[in-house]
């Protein structure tokens, strides 16, 4: 979203303007990563390596073909109890050695239901694969030379919703196919309010506001094949097709030098170019207590003049599920969450940050005859590079971490 | 020469892979089942037992569809006395065990969940004393005490509560429970007559059956003796071997059990005379 | 964040289970000194007696009962209290509803054999008829409990 040019290159004004654009180049939310919050009671504990498992309502999200193998009709729901993210820009701007942003959300992030009908199985699910409520409030004294006080209030609400039906059917006793058709809705509201009071008494005030929404559909096709006993192979392909998008922005600047107020508004209906996603998974079920699974996902590169090009991304996830006893299971997983932004080059400015993350997941589940209850954790962290200051070639090292605690439950009938 | 060898090896590898893929019975429905989904793991309710009995009746009815009953009141009563006495020493007092002789020369016995047990006239002809009859009946009773078919097909009752009510509303799209019952009976009949249970289940039934013999007071070698005897009969090999593990394996496993459990020293009765009386 | 980890670990520990309980299912049972059928008897138990599991081994349980410790074979016990005899023969009160079309293929769907309701019992089945009359006749072959017990006594048990 770098459609703004930086008119002010003076260091003081540049400082404030640069910070106004921070959000454009940096994001905690989904834009720059494809794995944000892990979805599903069982999958979230297994690092999301679920394409070849998918034999319960979470399968509606990962690989609908798998729901044919669900042992019974089932309702499942999970709540993202607490998601905490923070980002730390090292050697950042002078006086701002730790530029941190925090996000906390508490959102029901998955609901799914599956039901056999005739020869096949139908399902319906709702997923919030990404949700961020960012908040930053700083009031700094003498953060940089020439500036006596700096205040920023920043809020960013960014949420992606998927909701829709699925249908799957067995082709023969070891092959099944399925499809999910999600309605896709992305909404984001980004507000940044900055005030810099200069040593000479003058002040700069920037107020920036973006409101974005996009609507589309995301069809997903899946296949599940068991070539030999105890082994399942899954394959899915999906792509979000947008049919409507709107971006409204407003920038108000009260310039410290000219003392003039400028209001700039912009409206756009350009749609973000979406990648094609292909995931291949394998799952090995050696005993009724142990399950091992692995997923490899590939997202295609996209050329997008408006919103920026994205590179191709490959993510890998590994998961394990083990039953300590028939009513108690432990799950663990490890997964990559690589950035889809190009790697930063020292010769350019206004580049988007690039941070590759590595995640770990763990959960414990208690079973009763008809239901299960899960409590779990996801922890992801990574470091990368960013350009915090617009118009500058300076690159900062940045580290980020995200912790999610989730609760989930399923009921079968 | 080297290329030909490589091609041959590659071809062999392909055929092996294809062969393995074809013959390995990949049944996702069974290998995906996790331990928490096996019903018998949870506390048993009255509804579960009622479901087991209702289901067992359905399977028993199908067995009567294939064979007719051997009409000998005295013999039937005798077999029931032996069988019910055995069952009284086991852990399923909530079931009424019932035994019937089938009018066929084939050598076999069948146990349906809920306590409906069948033994063929052909099997009875092969026995030499009451202990051997008790051995076969004990093996079948063991299938029921260990809930082999109930576990394999996940037979359980419905809970009558609000959540079940919701599930009925949701489930009324298609009536899955009705379809499920007849499909489950089909599967049970398939297990009894075609594919058989898992080998592990059969070995367990042999083992538990022999334990039951001892607890009731019979000669612990009786089942083993009977298996060794009929393994020599080709008629038995045909029918029983389709659905059970090979006789030599079973006999060997029981020999091992008997020596390990120190059962060699236990005397136990055979009651040959009483058996012969009823078999006339 | 630390608070969350504490809550998580607490949840983890709450799910840990206690040791199990067994109940004697047979009319009488011997509590043995060792896990073997010829072993000396430590106590005589009766149906319904509660046993605390100490150890499980080879088809035997080491248990604590009536202040004594001993072994009992798994065949005589169960994790639930003995249930009195159950009968499903209380009349054909379930109405017979039209059945769903039967699937002929071997393909199994999710949901085979879940909670069962009484089905249309008289439905003819292509794979072989179902003869419920014969089952009913099998069920009506009753033998008085005392006759079975008398028979059992002849085996010296």
């Amino acid at each position: 979203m770098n459609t703004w040019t930086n008119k002010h290159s003076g260091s003081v004004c540049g400082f404030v303007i640069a910070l106004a654009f921070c959000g454009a180049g940096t994001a905690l939310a989904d834009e720059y990563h494809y794995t944000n919050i892990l979805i599903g009671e069982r999958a979230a504990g297994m690092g999301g390596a679920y394409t070849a498992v998918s034999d319960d309502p979470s399968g509606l999200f990962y690989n609908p073909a798998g729901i044919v193998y669900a042992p019974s009709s089932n309702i499942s729901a999970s709540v993202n109890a607490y998601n905490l993210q923070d980002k730390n820009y090292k050697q950042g701007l002078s006086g701002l050695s730790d530029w941190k942003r925090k996000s906390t959300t508490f959102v029901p992030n998955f609901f799914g239901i599956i039901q056999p009908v005739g020869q096949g199985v139908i399902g319906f699910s709702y997923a919030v694969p990404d949700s961020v409520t960012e908040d930053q409030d700083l009031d700094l004294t003498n953060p940089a030379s020439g500036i006596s006080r700096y205040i920023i209030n920043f809020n960013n609400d960014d949420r992606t919703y998927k909701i829709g039906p699925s249908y799957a059917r067995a082709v023969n006793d070891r092959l099944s196919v399925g499809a999910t058709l999600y309605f896709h809705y992305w909404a984001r509201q980004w507000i940044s309010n900055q005030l810099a009071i200069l040593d000479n008494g003058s002040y700069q005030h920037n107020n920036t506001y973006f409101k974005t929404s996009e609507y589309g559909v995301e069809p997903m096709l899946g296949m599940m094949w068991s070539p030999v006993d105890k082994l399942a192979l899954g394959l899915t392909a999906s792509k979000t097709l947008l049919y409507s998008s709107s971006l409204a922005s407003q920038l108000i600047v009260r310039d410290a030098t000219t003392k003039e107020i400028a209001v700039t508004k912009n409206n756009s209906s350009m749609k973000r170019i979406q990648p094609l996603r292909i995931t291949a998974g394998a799952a090995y079920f050696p005993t009724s207590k142990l399950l091992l699974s692995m997923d490899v996902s590939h997202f295609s590169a996209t050329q997008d003049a408006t919103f920026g090009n994205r590179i191709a991304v490959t993510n890998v996830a590994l998961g394990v599920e083990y039953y300590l006893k028939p009513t108690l299971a432990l799950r663990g997983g490890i997964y990559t969450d690589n950035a889809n932004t190009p790697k930063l080059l020292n010769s350019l400015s206004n580049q988007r940050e690039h941070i590759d993350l590595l995640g770990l997941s763990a959960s414990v589940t208690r079973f009763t005859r008809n239901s299960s209850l899960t409590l779990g954790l996801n922890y992801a962290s990574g470091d990368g590079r960013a350009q915090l200051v617009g118009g500058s070639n300076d690159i900062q090292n940045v580290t980020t971490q995200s912790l999610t605690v989730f609760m989930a439950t399923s009921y079968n009938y | 020469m080297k290329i030909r060898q490589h091609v041959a090896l590659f071809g062999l590898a392909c055929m092996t892979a294809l062969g393995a893929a074809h013959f390995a019975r990949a049944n996702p429905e069974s290998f995906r089942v996790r331990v928490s989904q096996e019903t018998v793991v949870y506390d048993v309710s009255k509804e579960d037992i009622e479901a087991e009995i209702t289901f067992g009746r359905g399977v028993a009815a199908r067995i009567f569809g294939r064979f007719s009953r051997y009409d000998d009141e005295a013999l039937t009563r005798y077999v029931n006395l032996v069988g019910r006495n055995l069952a009284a020493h086991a852990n399923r007092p909530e079931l009424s065990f019932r035994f019937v002789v089938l009018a066929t020369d084939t050598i076999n016995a069948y146990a349906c969940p809920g306590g409906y047990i069948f033994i063929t006239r052909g099997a009875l002809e092969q026995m030499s004393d009451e202990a051997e009859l008790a051995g076969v009946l004990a093996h079948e009773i063991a299938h029921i005490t260990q809930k082999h078919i109930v576990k394999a097909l996940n037979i359980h009752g419905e809970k009558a509560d609000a959540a079940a009510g919701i599930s009925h509303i949701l489930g009324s799209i298609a009536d899955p429970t009705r379809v499920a019952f007849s499909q489950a009976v089909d599967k049970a009949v398939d297990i009894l007559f075609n594919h058989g249970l898992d080998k592990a289940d059969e070995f367990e039934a042999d083992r538990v059956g022999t334990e039951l013999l001892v607890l009731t007071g019979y000669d612990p070698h009786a089942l083993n003796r009977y298996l060794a005897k009929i393994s020599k009969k080709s008629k038995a090999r045909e029918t029983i071997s389709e659905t059970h593990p090979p006789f030599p394996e079973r006999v060997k496993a029981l020999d091992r059990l008997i020596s390990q459990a120190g059962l060699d020293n236990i005397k136990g009765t055979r009651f040959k005379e009483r058996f012969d009386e009823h078999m006339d | 964040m630390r608070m969350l980890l504490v809550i998580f670990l607490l949840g983890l520990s709450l799910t840990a289970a206690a040791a199990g309980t067994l109940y004697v299912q047979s009319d009488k049972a011997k509590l043995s000194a060792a896990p073997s059928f010829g072993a000396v008897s430590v106590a005589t138990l009766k149906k319904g007696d509660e046993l605390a599991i100490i150890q499980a081994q080879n088809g035997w349980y080491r248990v604590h009962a009536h202040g004594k410790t001993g072994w009992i074979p798994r065949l005589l016990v169960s994790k639930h209290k003995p249930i009195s005899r159950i009968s499903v023969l209380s009349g054909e009160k379930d109405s017979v509803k039209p059945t769903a079309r039967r699937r002929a293929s071997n393909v199994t769907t999710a949901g085979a054999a879940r909670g069962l309701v009484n089905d249309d019992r008289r439905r003819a089945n292509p794979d072989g008829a179902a003869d419920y009359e014969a089952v009913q006749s099998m069920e009506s072959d009753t033998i008085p409990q005392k006759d079975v017990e008398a028979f059992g006594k002849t085996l010296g048990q």
Side-chain angles (χ1 to χ4, degrees):
Chain A
M1 243 175 289
N2 277 336
T3 53
W4 311 97
T5 53
N6 187 0
K7 300 194 196 92
H8 303 267
S9 54
S11 64
V12 168
C13 302
F15 170 85
V16 176
I17 295 290
L19 295 174
F21 298 126
C22 266
T26 69
L28 286 177
D30 96 307
E31 273 196 278
Y32 302 157
H33 294 95
Y34 293 118
T35 301
N36 292 289
I37 301 177
L38 293 180
I39 296 283
E41 182 187 8
R42 214 169 157 202
M46 293 170 66
Y50 213 61
T51 301
V53 184
S54 286
D55 49 22
D56 60 26
S58 309
L60 300 170
F61 182 82
Y62 289 90
N63 183 357
I67 63 173
V68 162
Y69 303 112
S72 61
S73 308
N74 196 307
I75 293 176
S76 181
S78 57
V79 173
N80 207 27
Y82 188 81
N83 173 259
L84 172 67
Q85 301 181 51
D86 67 50
K87 202 169 286 186
N88 195 341
Y89 296 88
K90 309 232 167 105
Q91 298 132 31
L93 308 163
S94 51
L96 286 174
S97 53
D98 279 351
W99 177 259
K100 282 187 181 170
R101 286 243 166 97
K102 270 194 169 148
S103 163
T104 64
T105 57
F106 181 79
V107 65
N109 77 332
F110 181 76
F111 169 81
I113 175 170
I114 57 177
Q115 171 76 48
V117 172
Q119 299 256 13
V121 182
I122 58 170
F124 189 84
S125 62
Y126 157 84
V128 179
D130 188 41
S131 171
V132 152
T133 303
E134 247 180 295
D135 188 53
Q136 182 179 43
D137 300 297
L138 294 177
D139 189 345
L140 306 171
T141 314
N142 296 321
S145 72
I147 303 178
S148 65
R149 191 173 180 193
Y150 172 76
I151 299 175
I152 178 169
N153 296 113
F154 167 74
N155 286 98
N156 179 25
D157 252 295
D158 183 325
R159 208 150 284 123
T160 306
Y161 301 88
K162 309 270 186 190
I163 185 167
S166 309
Y167 181 70
R169 201 159 159 133
V171 170
N172 60 42
D173 62 358
R174 52 178 87 178
L175 176 68
S176 66
V177 292
T180 295
L181 183 63
Y182 275 138
F183 167 68
H184 162 95
Y185 173 55
W186 175 55
R188 170 209 253 200
Q189 191 163 262
W190 192 101
I191 306 173
S192 162
N193 196 18
Q194 297 176 78
L195 176 68
I197 303 176
L198 310 185
D199 287 341
N200 63 19
S202 177
Y203 71 92
Q204 175 104 4
H205 185 200
N206 285 23
N207 182 296
T208 317
Y209 171 76
F210 293 107
K211 190 172 157 85
T212 317
S213 65
E214 73 183 15
Y215 298 85
V217 291
E218 183 186 358
M220 179 191 323
L221 295 174
M223 181 190 98
M224 187 79 84
W225 181 43
S226 302
V228 293
D229 198 26
K230 304 191 199 295
L231 180 70
L233 302 176
L235 185 66
T236 61
S238 66
K239 181 169 173 166
T240 303
L241 310 165
L242 299 176
Y243 55 80
S244 147
S245 177
S246 93
L247 159 62
S249 62
Q250 174 183 282
L251 171 65
I252 302 173
V253 178
R254 192 277 183 188
D255 193 281
T257 317
T258 67
K259 300 195 191 339
E260 277 170 20
I261 297 179
V263 178
T264 319
K265 294 194 183 185
N266 206 356
N267 277 292
S268 165
S269 61
M270 293 300 293
K271 307 197 223 342
R272 296 189 298 169
I273 309 288
Q274 302 288 323
L276 171 69
R277 173 188 184 153
I278 298 194
T279 305
Y284 179 50
F285 302 75
T287 69
S288 61
K289 288 186 184 178
L290 181 63
L291 162 59
L292 303 160
S293 69
M294 170 164 152
D295 265 20
V296 177
S297 300
H298 181 82
F299 300 81
S300 61
T302 58
Q303 309 294 104
D304 191 336
T306 315
F307 298 101
N309 299 341
R310 301 284 186 267
I311 58 173
V313 167
T314 303
N315 280 327
V316 177
L318 296 169
V320 62
E321 174 187 78
Y322 180 68
Y323 281 79
L324 286 178
K325 36 184 216 145
T327 52
L328 188 69
L330 296 179
R331 302 187 182 115
I334 184 167
Y335 57 98
T336 67
D337 183 16
N338 297 322
N340 60 16
T341 47
K343 288 232 161 87
L344 274 71
L345 300 172
N346 293 337
S347 51
L348 299 177
S349 62
N350 296 332
Q351 298 175 89
R352 289 176 181 75
E353 70 184 15
H354 179 101
I355 309 177
D356 291 333
L357 295 153
L358 186 68
L360 292 172
S361 67
S363 69
V364 60
T365 304
R366 185 94 161 86
F367 293 90
T368 65
R369 163 81 55 92
N370 289 101
S371 67
S372 61
L373 185 64
T374 300
L375 187 60
L377 283 177
N378 287 336
Y379 176 73
S381 77
D383 47 70
R385 283 146 52 93
Q387 280 185 320
L388 204 50
V389 184
S392 157
N393 287 4
D394 285 349
I395 292 178
Q396 295 83 39
N397 290 327
V398 52
T399 61
T400 185
Q401 53 181 4
S402 162
L403 175 71
T404 305
V405 176
F406 65 91
M407 283 187 311
T409 183
S410 291
Y411 177 76
N412 54 283
Y413 55 93
Chain B
M1 213 50 57
K2 243 198 154 188
I3 295 175
R4 235 183 279 171
Q5 278 174 352
H6 280 148
V7 170
L9 276 172
F10 178 73
L12 189 66
C14 280
M15 279 179 358
T16 314
L18 284 172
H22 179 69
F23 292 114
R25 283 227 325 250
N27 185 357
E29 291 254 336
S30 66
F31 70 69
R32 283 172 177 273
V33 174
R34 303 289 89 197
V35 151
S36 58
Q37 292 154 357
E38 291 165 12
T39 322
V40 220
V41 154
Y42 305 103
D43 287 336
V44 163
S45 70
K46 192 156 170 289
E47 287 81 27
D48 289 327
I49 309 215
E50 285 171 356
E52 178 184 342
I53 297 176
T54 306
F55 178 71
R57 292 190 87 225
V59 182
R62 293 280 292 278
I63 294 182
F64 276 123
R66 284 189 186 220
F67 300 109
S68 54
R69 186 172 165 155
Y70 184 74
D71 215 349
D72 182 340
E73 253 187 64
L75 179 61
T76 303
R77 185 184 150 87
Y78 172 63
V79 170
N80 271 277
L81 280 170
V82 175
R84 293 179 195 212
N85 179 45
L86 281 164
H89 289 81
N91 59 4
R92 305 232 41 207
E94 69 273 15
L95 297 178
S96 306
F97 282 82
R98 299 170 170 106
F99 302 82
V100 144
V101 181
L102 296 175
T104 168
D105 286 337
T106 59
I107 303 174
N108 220 331
Y110 309 98
C112 307
Y116 301 87
I117 297 182
F118 300 83
I119 185 160
T120 62
R121 173 80 197 167
L124 285 174
E125 305 256 294
Q126 300 299 322
M127 294 169 185
S128 25
D129 55 51
E130 185 176 298
E132 287 182 13
L133 169 60
V136 172
L137 295 182
H139 172 103
E140 298 305 323
I141 292 172
H143 278 309
I144 296 175
T145 66
Q146 305 307 104
K147 299 190 179 178
H148 288 147
I149 291 188
V150 165
K151 279 191 204 179
L153 301 180
N154 199 10
I155 307 293
H156 58 277
E158 283 188 348
K159 276 167 54 173
D161 59 13
I166 295 173
S167 76
H168 266 127
I169 295 169
L170 294 168
S172 62
I173 297 170
D175 205 349
T177 50
R178 273 174 206 289
V179 181
F181 182 87
S182 57
Q183 281 176 349
V185 170
D186 289 346
K187 275 194 186 171
V189 169
D190 187 52
I191 288 174
L192 290 176
F193 289 98
N194 302 326
H195 285 128
L197 287 161
D198 280 347
K199 269 171 88 156
D201 288 345
E202 287 298 340
F203 284 124
E204 188 179 48
D206 281 342
R207 222 169 37 242
V208 172
T210 299
E211 289 170 12
L212 186 56
L213 278 179
V214 173
L215 286 168
T216 311
Y218 287 103
D219 169 22
H221 297 87
L223 177 58
N224 212 6
R225 250 189 299 127
Y226 176 75
L227 291 177
K229 188 174 12 173
I230 60 169
S231 68
K232 303 192 178 73
K233 298 267 191 280
S234 61
K235 212 159 47 168
R237 277 203 297 277
E238 274 158 30
T239 50
I240 301 187
S241 299
E242 264 172 28
T243 50
H244 292 70
F247 286 112
E249 280 182 41
R250 295 175 71 183
V251 168
K252 209 161 76 168
L254 277 178
D255 283 338
R256 225 184 359 242
L257 165 74
I258 290 174
S259 64
Q260 275 173 4
L263 297 177
D264 276 314
N265 306 323
I266 297 186
K267 276 297 166 217
T269 44
R270 292 196 188 188
F271 270 114
K272 182 162 169 54
E273 301 77 21
R274 185 158 70 184
F275 179 79
D276 288 338
E277 268 173 38
H278 287 93
M279 281 300 292
D280 284 334
Chain C
M1 239 189 241
R2 240 165 274 148
M3 183 61 175
L4 293 171
L5 287 169
V6 167
I7 295 173
F8 180 68
L9 290 169
L10 193 70
L12 207 76
S13 59
L14 285 175
T15 54
T21 315
L22 294 171
Y23 298 89
V24 176
Q25 302 289 323
S26 57
D27 290 335
K28 275 203 318 280
K30 191 173 81 168
L31 190 65
S32 303
S36 131
F37 287 100
V40 167
S41 168
V42 168
T44 307
L45 307 167
K46 56 186 199 316
K47 187 190 282 193
D49 281 351
E50 196 171 313
L51 316 167
I53 305 176
I54 302 170
Q55 192 190 342
Q57 179 186 310
N58 268 347
W60 289 81
Y61 285 106
R62 185 152 177 256
V63 297
H64 205 77
H66 298 325
K68 300 216 170 68
T69 305
W71 295 85
I72 190 165
R74 59 165 160 191
L75 193 49
L76 304 179
V77 298
S78 206
K79 288 202 157 89
H80 57 86
K81 293 203 179 116
I83 301 172
S84 52
R85 200 149 285 198
I86 291 180
S87 170
V88 296
L89 305 177
S90 44
E92 310 270 290
K93 54 186 187 315
D94 308 59
S95 61
V96 173
K97 290 190 194 158
T99 57
R101 203 180 11 224
R102 183 172 167 269
R103 292 176 324 115
S105 71
N106 285 334
V107 175
T108 49
T109 57
R114 275 163 278 132
L116 304 180
V117 292
N118 282 319
D119 197 346
D120 174 1
R121 300 169 188 181
R122 281 173 227 90
R123 190 169 66 87
N125 191 307
D127 270 354
D131 186 354
Y132 278 94
E133 276 81 27
V135 176
Q136 280 170 336
S137 129
M138 183 181 184
E139 284 157 347
S140 59
D141 283 347
T142 49
I143 298 182
Q145 183 68 6
K146 60 175 173 51
D147 289 359
V148 179
E149 282 170 11
F151 188 85
K153 288 207 168 65
T154 67
L155 297 166
Q157 292 292 313

